[in-house]
mmCIF file of all heavy atoms in Angstrom:
data_model
loop_
_atom_site.group_PDB
_atom_site.id
_atom_site.type_symbol
_atom_site.label_atom_id
_atom_site.label_comp_id
_atom_site.label_asym_id
_atom_site.label_seq_id
_atom_site.Cartn_x
_atom_site.Cartn_y
_atom_site.Cartn_z
ATOM 1 N N ASN A 99 4.904 -70.508 49.816
ATOM 2 C CA ASN A 99 3.615 -70.770 49.259
ATOM 3 C C ASN A 99 2.521 -70.953 50.326
ATOM 4 O O ASN A 99 1.653 -71.822 50.220
ATOM 5 C CB ASN A 99 3.634 -71.987 48.330
ATOM 6 C CG ASN A 99 4.481 -71.753 47.096
ATOM 7 O OD1 ASN A 99 4.446 -70.662 46.518
ATOM 8 N ND2 ASN A 99 5.240 -72.724 46.697
ATOM 9 N N THR A 100 2.625 -70.135 51.364
ATOM 10 C CA THR A 100 1.591 -70.116 52.385
ATOM 11 C C THR A 100 1.079 -68.681 52.514
ATOM 12 O O THR A 100 1.845 -67.753 52.728
ATOM 13 C CB THR A 100 2.127 -70.612 53.726
ATOM 14 O OG1 THR A 100 2.654 -71.898 53.588
ATOM 15 C CG2 THR A 100 1.022 -70.615 54.795
ATOM 16 N N TYR A 101 -0.248 -68.549 52.367
ATOM 17 C CA TYR A 101 -0.897 -67.229 52.413
ATOM 18 C C TYR A 101 -1.945 -67.235 53.489
ATOM 19 O O TYR A 101 -2.677 -68.229 53.683
ATOM 20 C CB TYR A 101 -1.527 -66.896 51.039
ATOM 21 C CG TYR A 101 -0.563 -66.307 50.048
ATOM 22 C CD1 TYR A 101 0.541 -67.025 49.595
ATOM 23 C CD2 TYR A 101 -0.746 -65.020 49.542
ATOM 24 C CE1 TYR A 101 1.441 -66.502 48.705
ATOM 25 C CE2 TYR A 101 0.158 -64.470 48.649
ATOM 26 C CZ TYR A 101 1.257 -65.214 48.218
ATOM 27 O OH TYR A 101 2.109 -64.669 47.313
ATOM 28 N N TYR A 102 -2.076 -66.074 54.138
ATOM 29 C CA TYR A 102 -3.054 -65.894 55.228
ATOM 30 C C TYR A 102 -4.091 -64.827 54.816
ATOM 31 O O TYR A 102 -3.766 -63.897 54.069
ATOM 32 C CB TYR A 102 -2.331 -65.467 56.519
ATOM 33 C CG TYR A 102 -1.484 -66.595 57.066
ATOM 34 C CD1 TYR A 102 -0.206 -66.844 56.572
ATOM 35 C CD2 TYR A 102 -1.938 -67.423 58.098
ATOM 36 C CE1 TYR A 102 0.589 -67.856 57.060
ATOM 37 C CE2 TYR A 102 -1.156 -68.457 58.606
ATOM 38 C CZ TYR A 102 0.102 -68.670 58.081
ATOM 39 O OH TYR A 102 0.888 -69.687 58.558
ATOM 40 N N GLY A 103 -5.266 -64.974 55.336
ATOM 41 C CA GLY A 103 -6.328 -64.080 54.964
ATOM 42 C C GLY A 103 -6.031 -62.640 55.320
ATOM 43 O O GLY A 103 -5.491 -62.333 56.400
ATOM 44 N N LEU A 104 -6.394 -61.713 54.387
ATOM 45 C CA LEU A 104 -6.254 -60.267 54.628
ATOM 46 C C LEU A 104 -7.615 -59.632 54.370
ATOM 47 O O LEU A 104 -8.435 -59.554 55.290
ATOM 48 C CB LEU A 104 -5.152 -59.662 53.753
ATOM 49 C CG LEU A 104 -4.891 -58.155 53.982
ATOM 50 C CD1 LEU A 104 -4.561 -57.840 55.439
ATOM 51 C CD2 LEU A 104 -3.772 -57.690 53.049
ATOM 52 N N LEU A 105 -7.857 -59.191 53.156
ATOM 53 C CA LEU A 105 -9.223 -58.647 52.866
ATOM 54 C C LEU A 105 -10.263 -59.754 52.993
ATOM 55 O O LEU A 105 -11.408 -59.455 53.344
ATOM 56 C CB LEU A 105 -9.258 -58.101 51.428
ATOM 57 C CG LEU A 105 -8.479 -56.771 51.201
ATOM 58 C CD1 LEU A 105 -8.544 -56.395 49.742
ATOM 59 C CD2 LEU A 105 -9.003 -55.657 52.086
ATOM 60 N N ALA A 106 -9.880 -60.973 52.728
ATOM 61 C CA ALA A 106 -10.773 -62.105 52.986
ATOM 62 C C ALA A 106 -10.329 -62.748 54.323
ATOM 63 O O ALA A 106 -9.183 -63.067 54.505
ATOM 64 C CB ALA A 106 -10.678 -63.130 51.865
ATOM 65 N N GLU A 107 -11.287 -62.901 55.230
ATOM 66 C CA GLU A 107 -10.901 -63.469 56.539
ATOM 67 C C GLU A 107 -10.765 -64.964 56.440
ATOM 68 O O GLU A 107 -10.059 -65.573 57.261
ATOM 69 C CB GLU A 107 -11.974 -63.084 57.576
ATOM 70 C CG GLU A 107 -13.330 -63.713 57.340
ATOM 71 C CD GLU A 107 -14.318 -63.352 58.491
ATOM 72 O OE1 GLU A 107 -13.939 -62.579 59.360
ATOM 73 O OE2 GLU A 107 -15.428 -63.905 58.485
ATOM 74 N N SER A 108 -11.402 -65.614 55.441
ATOM 75 C CA SER A 108 -11.325 -67.050 55.335
ATOM 76 C C SER A 108 -11.743 -67.454 53.910
ATOM 77 O O SER A 108 -12.255 -66.666 53.146
ATOM 78 C CB SER A 108 -12.187 -67.763 56.387
ATOM 79 O OG SER A 108 -13.546 -67.362 56.255
ATOM 80 N N PHE A 109 -11.532 -68.731 53.622
ATOM 81 C CA PHE A 109 -11.891 -69.230 52.319
ATOM 82 C C PHE A 109 -12.269 -70.717 52.417
ATOM 83 O O PHE A 109 -11.924 -71.391 53.409
ATOM 84 C CB PHE A 109 -10.743 -69.048 51.311
ATOM 85 C CG PHE A 109 -9.531 -69.867 51.663
ATOM 86 C CD1 PHE A 109 -9.294 -71.086 51.033
ATOM 87 C CD2 PHE A 109 -8.631 -69.445 52.667
ATOM 88 C CE1 PHE A 109 -8.182 -71.842 51.366
ATOM 89 C CE2 PHE A 109 -7.533 -70.233 52.996
ATOM 90 C CZ PHE A 109 -7.332 -71.428 52.366
ATOM 91 N N LYS A 110 -12.946 -71.201 51.356
ATOM 92 C CA LYS A 110 -13.385 -72.595 51.353
ATOM 93 C C LYS A 110 -13.194 -73.152 49.944
ATOM 94 O O LYS A 110 -13.664 -72.575 48.967
ATOM 95 C CB LYS A 110 -14.829 -72.731 51.811
ATOM 96 C CG LYS A 110 -15.362 -74.175 51.804
ATOM 97 C CD LYS A 110 -16.679 -74.269 52.501
ATOM 98 C CE LYS A 110 -17.777 -73.470 51.869
ATOM 99 N NZ LYS A 110 -19.091 -73.694 52.534
ATOM 100 N N ILE A 111 -12.458 -74.264 49.833
ATOM 101 C CA ILE A 111 -12.137 -74.905 48.573
ATOM 102 C C ILE A 111 -13.098 -76.079 48.335
ATOM 103 O O ILE A 111 -13.355 -76.864 49.249
ATOM 104 C CB ILE A 111 -10.698 -75.413 48.533
ATOM 105 C CG1 ILE A 111 -9.714 -74.274 48.799
ATOM 106 C CG2 ILE A 111 -10.360 -76.082 47.207
ATOM 107 C CD1 ILE A 111 -8.265 -74.710 49.006
ATOM 108 N N ALA A 112 -13.631 -76.173 47.107
ATOM 109 C CA ALA A 112 -14.483 -77.301 46.777
ATOM 110 C C ALA A 112 -13.715 -78.608 46.873
ATOM 111 O O ALA A 112 -12.498 -78.608 46.638
ATOM 112 C CB ALA A 112 -15.034 -77.145 45.358
ATOM 113 N N PRO A 113 -14.376 -79.717 47.239
ATOM 114 C CA PRO A 113 -13.674 -80.984 47.425
ATOM 115 C C PRO A 113 -12.855 -81.419 46.213
ATOM 116 O O PRO A 113 -11.797 -82.057 46.351
ATOM 117 C CB PRO A 113 -14.804 -81.977 47.717
ATOM 118 C CG PRO A 113 -15.859 -81.137 48.308
ATOM 119 C CD PRO A 113 -15.795 -79.806 47.623
ATOM 120 N N ASP A 114 -13.328 -81.087 44.996
ATOM 121 C CA ASP A 114 -12.598 -81.476 43.788
ATOM 122 C C ASP A 114 -11.691 -80.383 43.248
ATOM 123 O O ASP A 114 -11.169 -80.485 42.140
ATOM 124 C CB ASP A 114 -13.564 -81.923 42.679
ATOM 125 C CG ASP A 114 -14.514 -80.821 42.243
ATOM 126 O OD1 ASP A 114 -14.451 -79.689 42.833
ATOM 127 O OD2 ASP A 114 -15.288 -81.041 41.323
ATOM 128 N N TYR A 115 -11.519 -79.340 43.998
ATOM 129 C CA TYR A 115 -10.729 -78.175 43.595
ATOM 130 C C TYR A 115 -11.294 -77.563 42.328
ATOM 131 O O TYR A 115 -10.593 -77.007 41.473
ATOM 132 C CB TYR A 115 -9.245 -78.515 43.393
ATOM 133 C CG TYR A 115 -8.462 -78.460 44.672
ATOM 134 C CD1 TYR A 115 -8.567 -79.479 45.620
ATOM 135 C CD2 TYR A 115 -7.678 -77.364 44.976
ATOM 136 C CE1 TYR A 115 -7.854 -79.423 46.807
ATOM 137 C CE2 TYR A 115 -6.964 -77.291 46.170
ATOM 138 C CZ TYR A 115 -7.049 -78.331 47.087
ATOM 139 O OH TYR A 115 -6.350 -78.269 48.294
ATOM 140 N N GLY A 116 -12.617 -77.629 42.184
ATOM 141 C CA GLY A 116 -13.292 -77.027 41.054
ATOM 142 C C GLY A 116 -13.808 -75.606 41.328
ATOM 143 O O GLY A 116 -14.337 -74.967 40.413
ATOM 144 N N ALA A 117 -13.613 -75.120 42.547
ATOM 145 C CA ALA A 117 -14.095 -73.766 42.880
ATOM 146 C C ALA A 117 -13.458 -73.400 44.233
ATOM 147 O O ALA A 117 -12.997 -74.234 44.991
ATOM 148 C CB ALA A 117 -15.594 -73.705 42.978
ATOM 149 N N VAL A 118 -13.456 -72.051 44.530
ATOM 150 C CA VAL A 118 -13.042 -71.558 45.806
ATOM 151 C C VAL A 118 -13.901 -70.391 46.152
ATOM 152 O O VAL A 118 -14.283 -69.563 45.305
ATOM 153 C CB VAL A 118 -11.540 -71.170 45.808
ATOM 154 C CG1 VAL A 118 -11.253 -70.028 44.852
ATOM 155 C CG2 VAL A 118 -11.097 -70.776 47.221
ATOM 156 N N THR A 119 -14.310 -70.276 47.424
ATOM 157 C CA THR A 119 -15.113 -69.174 47.919
ATOM 158 C C THR A 119 -14.341 -68.423 48.967
ATOM 159 O O THR A 119 -13.747 -69.036 49.868
ATOM 160 C CB THR A 119 -16.443 -69.706 48.531
ATOM 161 O OG1 THR A 119 -17.189 -70.407 47.513
ATOM 162 C CG2 THR A 119 -17.265 -68.562 49.067
ATOM 163 N N PHE A 120 -14.357 -67.105 48.883
ATOM 164 C CA PHE A 120 -13.697 -66.219 49.877
ATOM 165 C C PHE A 120 -14.772 -65.490 50.648
ATOM 166 O O PHE A 120 -15.734 -65.014 50.083
ATOM 167 C CB PHE A 120 -12.762 -65.239 49.205
ATOM 168 C CG PHE A 120 -11.598 -65.854 48.516
ATOM 169 C CD1 PHE A 120 -11.617 -66.211 47.200
ATOM 170 C CD2 PHE A 120 -10.411 -66.061 49.248
ATOM 171 C CE1 PHE A 120 -10.501 -66.791 46.587
ATOM 172 C CE2 PHE A 120 -9.297 -66.643 48.660
ATOM 173 C CZ PHE A 120 -9.345 -66.994 47.332
ATOM 174 N N ARG A 121 -14.589 -65.435 51.986
ATOM 175 C CA ARG A 121 -15.485 -64.676 52.842
ATOM 176 C C ARG A 121 -14.736 -63.387 53.255
ATOM 177 O O ARG A 121 -13.659 -63.459 53.862
ATOM 178 C CB ARG A 121 -15.872 -65.512 54.051
ATOM 179 C CG ARG A 121 -16.752 -64.764 55.078
ATOM 180 C CD ARG A 121 -16.980 -65.617 56.283
ATOM 181 N NE ARG A 121 -17.887 -66.726 55.979
ATOM 182 C CZ ARG A 121 -18.004 -67.820 56.736
ATOM 183 N NH1 ARG A 121 -17.283 -67.945 57.832
ATOM 184 N NH2 ARG A 121 -18.851 -68.768 56.384
ATOM 185 N N MET A 122 -15.303 -62.238 52.937
ATOM 186 C CA MET A 122 -14.665 -60.970 53.200
ATOM 187 C C MET A 122 -14.596 -60.638 54.688
ATOM 188 O O MET A 122 -15.485 -61.023 55.452
ATOM 189 C CB MET A 122 -15.367 -59.858 52.461
ATOM 190 C CG MET A 122 -15.491 -60.061 50.948
ATOM 191 S SD MET A 122 -13.892 -60.275 50.144
ATOM 192 C CE MET A 122 -13.192 -58.620 50.379
ATOM 193 N N ASP A 123 -13.508 -60.004 55.085
ATOM 194 C CA ASP A 123 -13.370 -59.519 56.469
ATOM 195 C C ASP A 123 -14.322 -58.343 56.631
ATOM 196 O O ASP A 123 -14.196 -57.324 55.950
ATOM 197 C CB ASP A 123 -11.950 -59.082 56.744
ATOM 198 C CG ASP A 123 -11.706 -58.823 58.216
ATOM 199 O OD1 ASP A 123 -12.575 -58.242 58.857
ATOM 200 O OD2 ASP A 123 -10.602 -59.179 58.718
ATOM 201 N N PRO A 124 -15.309 -58.407 57.535
ATOM 202 C CA PRO A 124 -16.259 -57.292 57.688
ATOM 203 C C PRO A 124 -15.624 -56.012 58.148
ATOM 204 O O PRO A 124 -16.222 -54.954 58.027
ATOM 205 C CB PRO A 124 -17.245 -57.846 58.710
ATOM 206 C CG PRO A 124 -16.505 -58.905 59.467
ATOM 207 C CD PRO A 124 -15.550 -59.508 58.489
ATOM 208 N N ASP A 125 -14.413 -56.069 58.687
ATOM 209 C CA ASP A 125 -13.730 -54.860 59.139
ATOM 210 C C ASP A 125 -12.983 -54.120 58.047
ATOM 211 O O ASP A 125 -12.578 -52.985 58.228
ATOM 212 C CB ASP A 125 -12.699 -55.190 60.257
ATOM 213 C CG ASP A 125 -13.378 -55.685 61.534
ATOM 214 O OD1 ASP A 125 -14.501 -55.274 61.774
ATOM 215 O OD2 ASP A 125 -12.733 -56.490 62.251
ATOM 216 N N ALA A 126 -12.764 -54.794 56.890
ATOM 217 C CA ALA A 126 -11.975 -54.195 55.796
ATOM 218 C C ALA A 126 -12.682 -52.964 55.265
ATOM 219 O O ALA A 126 -13.835 -53.002 54.926
ATOM 220 C CB ALA A 126 -11.740 -55.221 54.702
ATOM 221 N N ARG A 127 -11.931 -51.866 55.154
ATOM 222 C CA ARG A 127 -12.485 -50.600 54.745
ATOM 223 C C ARG A 127 -11.584 -49.900 53.724
ATOM 224 O O ARG A 127 -10.393 -49.972 53.804
ATOM 225 C CB ARG A 127 -12.674 -49.648 55.927
ATOM 226 C CG ARG A 127 -13.732 -50.055 56.930
ATOM 227 C CD ARG A 127 -15.143 -49.839 56.362
ATOM 228 N NE ARG A 127 -16.221 -50.071 57.290
ATOM 229 C CZ ARG A 127 -16.718 -51.292 57.545
ATOM 230 N NH1 ARG A 127 -16.237 -52.329 56.961
ATOM 231 N NH2 ARG A 127 -17.719 -51.431 58.420
ATOM 232 N N TRP A 128 -12.256 -49.214 52.759
ATOM 233 C CA TRP A 128 -11.543 -48.281 51.935
ATOM 234 C C TRP A 128 -11.197 -47.045 52.754
ATOM 235 O O TRP A 128 -11.778 -46.817 53.803
ATOM 236 C CB TRP A 128 -12.369 -47.911 50.700
ATOM 237 C CG TRP A 128 -12.741 -49.100 49.866
ATOM 238 C CD1 TRP A 128 -13.983 -49.704 49.736
ATOM 239 C CD2 TRP A 128 -11.865 -49.860 49.037
ATOM 240 N NE1 TRP A 128 -13.926 -50.775 48.900
ATOM 241 C CE2 TRP A 128 -12.637 -50.900 48.455
ATOM 242 C CE3 TRP A 128 -10.497 -49.770 48.743
ATOM 243 C CZ2 TRP A 128 -12.090 -51.847 47.566
ATOM 244 C CZ3 TRP A 128 -9.989 -50.709 47.868
ATOM 245 C CH2 TRP A 128 -10.744 -51.726 47.288
ATOM 246 N N HIS A 129 -10.306 -46.221 52.249
ATOM 247 C CA HIS A 129 -9.904 -45.057 52.967
ATOM 248 C C HIS A 129 -11.031 -44.020 53.164
ATOM 249 O O HIS A 129 -10.906 -43.147 54.042
ATOM 250 C CB HIS A 129 -8.727 -44.368 52.277
ATOM 251 C CG HIS A 129 -7.481 -45.191 52.255
ATOM 252 N ND1 HIS A 129 -6.461 -44.999 51.379
ATOM 253 C CD2 HIS A 129 -7.088 -46.251 53.044
ATOM 254 C CE1 HIS A 129 -5.502 -45.881 51.598
ATOM 255 N NE2 HIS A 129 -5.857 -46.656 52.610
ATOM 256 N N ASP A 130 -12.112 -44.118 52.389
ATOM 257 C CA ASP A 130 -13.239 -43.215 52.581
ATOM 258 C C ASP A 130 -14.246 -43.811 53.584
ATOM 259 O O ASP A 130 -15.308 -43.223 53.790
ATOM 260 C CB ASP A 130 -13.943 -42.918 51.256
ATOM 261 C CG ASP A 130 -14.534 -44.157 50.576
ATOM 262 O OD1 ASP A 130 -14.428 -45.275 51.135
ATOM 263 O OD2 ASP A 130 -15.106 -44.054 49.469
#
Side-chain angles (χ1 to χ4, degrees):
N99 293 320
T100 302
Y101 276 63
Y102 293 80
L104 182 57
L105 289 176
E107 65 176 8
S108 57
F109 66 98
K110 181 167 62 175
I111 302 171
D114 62 357
Y115 275 78
V118 62
T119 299
F120 293 93
R121 177 184 289 163
M122 303 303 293
D123 190 320
D125 293 332
R127 290 289 185 276
W128 301 108
H129 294 159
D130 64 0

